[in-house]
Amino acid sequence: MSKLSQLRVKEALNAGTISKEKIASAADGILTITQDSQDVIEWRNTSVLHKAEVCSSYLEDDDGCKPSDLICKLTWKLENFSGTCKRELRSRCFELGNCKWYILVYPQGCDVSNHLSLFLCVADYDKLKPGWSHFAQFTIAVVNKDPKKSKYSDTLHRFCKKEHDWGWKKFMELPKILEEYTVGDTLVIKAQIQIVLDRINRPFRCLDPHYRRELIRVYLVNFECICQRFFEAKTSQLSWAKDENNAFWSFWEGLPDGKQRSLLTVKSDLVFKSLVQQFFSEKDVTSTLVMDALFSGVKQIESHSRDWLEGKQQGSPPLVLLDSDRNSFSLCSDFFLLVNKVGKENAFQFSTHSSSSLDVFSSSPLDVPEDEGEGEDEGSDEGENKGEGDENDGEGKGGEEKEVEEGGERKGDVSLVTAAATTTITALIIIKILLFLTV
């Protein structure tokens, strides 16, 4: 990961709300909806990951909305920026997810001096019904004279009646904006906002494919670390099974076949809920990437399982069999082999350069984002929380360079997504079995 990417990841911790004063309704500047280019549309329609989406008995969206239906890209131009006397500048409202939003800028800073403060806000929040909420992930950028050096920041937040705005008090120092980021005294702000339909009881899709591709280039290392930490923790939990090898396996082999098969089967609802609890955090921008991977991986597992159960796939059953009729996951390999495989140190490496360590799994190739070693993405802030709620006066660091290239994708010989989901589910089931047997 480049130094600028590290800054963007490090700074994705400092976002929050503004005060609850009523905002003036007059709109400033020129706000336009940015349409996808033809190249983006063609990429989305031909993406291997997009085409690999298969029907699922568990994970289909109840309301039929897809992430690509719940994303908005905006460009906001503020002319005569240095000469404005207004304390705050507000964009016109735009609609997304059956709700109206706007972008709010404080040219001289909100509760800070000499900084640009920038927020995403819900319009007419006082008219919202009790209990209303929208969970959103968004990226806001101030465009540099050299577009490759534009300042990008990412965050996610659950908007509600109480916390109806979210952003950065110290998005960037004002002198630097006037020196490097205005052209003809016009400041250009770009935003990409994604509504996420989250669930607590099963994996869910989060991001539009193209937005996900942009984020994975910045947060790939964080994504890998989350997965690696999970497997290291499970490896530690499985170590006793290897230490007590003879006694435990003598006990296991003494169980009737029917009892073994019963213990190797777990209700899918329990596994799905465990996946969400383990990997999704409303405060971590990386968790949406992990959840997208698990969502796609579980759908592929179900597809492979369905083909095998219907006789369309010959040979041995999949490592993890998802039976929708019985609402269950089953481990279909030798239990001793699985415990040693999942518990083997460094058995599962999430590298974008090689999938050989995952060739134990059979799966279809999906998109694997290309590691942009030379891509320079700059610091990302994750807004600070001020007002009646918690107060987090984290400093938003600005002025770093960012470069986002529209590079292509690389297709892995083996699906890292499906392999990661399979391994995760396998580990969860094994831990459940071992805990049950030792109680």
Side-chain angles (χ1 to χ4, degrees):
M1 177 185 290
S2 67
K3 180 179 179 181
L4 296 177
S5 292
Q6 291 175 341
L7 285 172
R8 180 170 175 178
V9 172
K10 181 180 179 180
E11 293 179 8
L13 299 172
N14 303 317
T17 66
I18 58 177
S19 58
K20 291 198 168 187
E21 58 187 275
K22 187 68 176 179
I23 304 299
S25 59
D28 300 286
I30 301 173
L31 184 77
T32 56
I33 305 296
T34 306
Q35 303 296 332
D36 285 335
S37 66
Q38 189 60 36
D39 290 342
V40 171
I41 295 173
E42 292 178 358
W43 175 86
R44 184 182 287 114
N45 292 336
T46 58
S47 165
V48 178
L49 183 59
H50 177 80
K51 294 170 68 175
E53 288 290 322
V54 294
C55 62
S56 170
S57 303
Y58 301 96
L59 306 181
E60 296 300 335
D61 300 309
D62 295 335
D63 55 8
C65 288
K66 297 180 179 180
S68 55
D69 302 324
L70 297 169
I71 192 169
C72 185
K73 301 177 183 179
L74 308 165
T75 300
W76 187 23
K77 294 184 179 180
L78 296 170
E79 299 177 346
N80 191 29
F81 180 75
S82 64
T84 183
C85 297
K86 292 185 176 181
R87 178 174 179 265
E88 57 195 36
L89 301 173
R90 170 180 171 171
S91 75
R92 70 173 175 86
C93 292
F94 58 93
E95 189 165 341
L96 180 64
N98 296 320
C99 179
K100 290 185 177 181
W101 309 75
Y102 62 90
I103 301 172
L104 185 65
V105 162
Y106 289 80
Q108 300 295 331
C110 173
D111 298 333
V112 295
S113 61
N114 213 33
H115 280 78
L116 179 79
S117 301
L118 204 159
F119 301 89
L120 175 66
C121 309
V122 178
D124 300 326
Y125 65 88
D126 52 336
K127 298 180 182 179
L128 296 173
K129 296 180 180 179
W132 177 93
S133 71
H134 263 7
F135 188 59
Q137 181 158 346
F138 58 98
T139 299
I140 293 184
V142 173
V143 180
N144 193 283
K145 293 177 180 179
D146 179 356
K148 293 183 177 180
K149 297 181 180 180
S150 299
K151 161 74 192 262
Y152 285 71
S153 291
D154 316 290
T155 188
L156 69 171
H157 180 63
R158 186 174 298 281
F159 291 84
C160 59
K161 195 165 184 176
K162 183 178 180 180
E163 293 188 349
H164 49 83
D165 43 56
W166 196 253
W168 301 265
K169 288 184 179 179
K170 295 182 178 180
F171 190 88
M172 187 182 298
E173 295 179 355
L174 188 58
K176 191 164 189 176
I177 291 178
L178 298 176
E179 179 181 350
E180 301 179 17
Y181 289 81
T182 56
V183 178
D185 204 21
T186 296
L187 182 69
V188 178
I189 296 173
K190 291 189 175 183
Q192 191 162 198
I193 303 135
Q194 173 79 69
I195 301 297
V196 178
L197 301 179
D198 59 316
R199 295 181 172 88
I200 62 172
N201 60 345
R202 58 189 178 186
F204 49 90
R205 284 186 294 187
C206 299
L207 305 173
D208 170 76
H210 195 261
Y211 189 25
R212 178 173 59 237
R213 184 174 68 162
E214 294 177 1
L215 291 173
I216 197 67
R217 291 171 178 158
V218 180
Y219 297 102
L220 178 60
V221 172
N222 298 64
F223 176 90
E224 294 175 340
C225 288
I226 288 174
C227 298
Q228 192 62 40
R229 284 197 299 269
F230 171 81
F231 292 122
E232 288 174 354
K234 297 310 176 186
T235 296
S236 176
Q237 288 181 272
L238 291 172
S239 61
W240 72 267
K242 293 189 294 183
D243 296 339
E244 301 294 334
N245 199 354
N246 294 333
F248 175 76
W249 295 114
S250 296
F251 162 76
W252 177 261
E253 291 173 357
L255 294 175
D257 290 343
K259 183 63 174 179
Q260 288 185 4
R261 286 194 298 271
S262 175
L263 291 171
L264 291 173
T265 300
V266 178
K267 288 293 184 181
S268 55
D269 293 342
L270 298 177
V271 176
F272 288 148
K273 190 171 183 179
S274 296
L275 289 175
V276 177
Q277 291 176 342
Q278 178 74 41
F279 291 104
F280 188 69
S281 168
E282 293 187 1
K283 300 300 182 182
D284 185 355
V285 295
T286 315
S287 63
T288 53
L289 297 170
V290 177
M291 194 52 55
D292 268 355
L294 289 171
F295 180 93
S296 295
V298 169
K299 291 190 76 170
Q300 291 298 308
I301 291 171
E302 184 178 356
S303 176
H304 297 159
S305 300
R306 187 186 304 115
D307 288 345
W308 188 84
L309 290 170
E310 294 176 355
K312 298 178 181 179
Q313 179 179 322
Q314 304 300 320
S316 302
L319 178 62
V320 173
L321 185 69
L322 175 52
D323 190 336
S324 59
D325 292 336
R326 298 184 178 182
N327 189 34
S328 65
F329 280 98
S330 298
L331 300 182
C332 300
S333 184
D334 179 81
F335 187 48
F336 179 79
L337 176 63
L338 288 176
V339 169
N340 281 278
K341 191 66 179 177
V342 175
K344 185 178 180 182
E345 185 177 2
N346 296 324
F348 304 98
Q349 296 294 329
F350 291 84
S351 169
T352 57
H353 299 290
S354 172
S355 59
S356 59
S357 62
L358 299 170
D359 58 10
V360 66
F361 305 111
S362 60
S363 54
S364 304
L366 301 181
D367 287 357
V368 180
E370 195 172 69
D371 186 8
E372 301 287 342
E374 300 300 323
E376 296 183 353
D377 292 296
E378 75 133 273
S380 163
D381 314 310
E382 192 175 353
E384 41 189 327
N385 186 7
K386 175 190 175 295
E388 296 183 6
D390 297 333
E391 181 167 351
N392 174 8
D393 291 323
E395 297 182 358
K397 299 179 175 59
E400 307 295 341
E401 299 180 355
K402 176 185 184 292
E403 179 177 355
V404 174
E405 300 181 3
E406 294 297 326
E409 305 163 57
R410 183 172 56 79
K411 302 174 185 177
D413 295 331
V414 179
S415 166
L416 295 178
V417 170
T418 305
T422 302
T423 308
T424 301
I425 293 169
T426 302
L428 286 171
I429 296 174
I430 290 176
I431 294 299
K432 178 264 181 188
I433 294 169
L434 295 179
L435 290 176
F436 175 82
L437 292 176
T438 55
V439 172

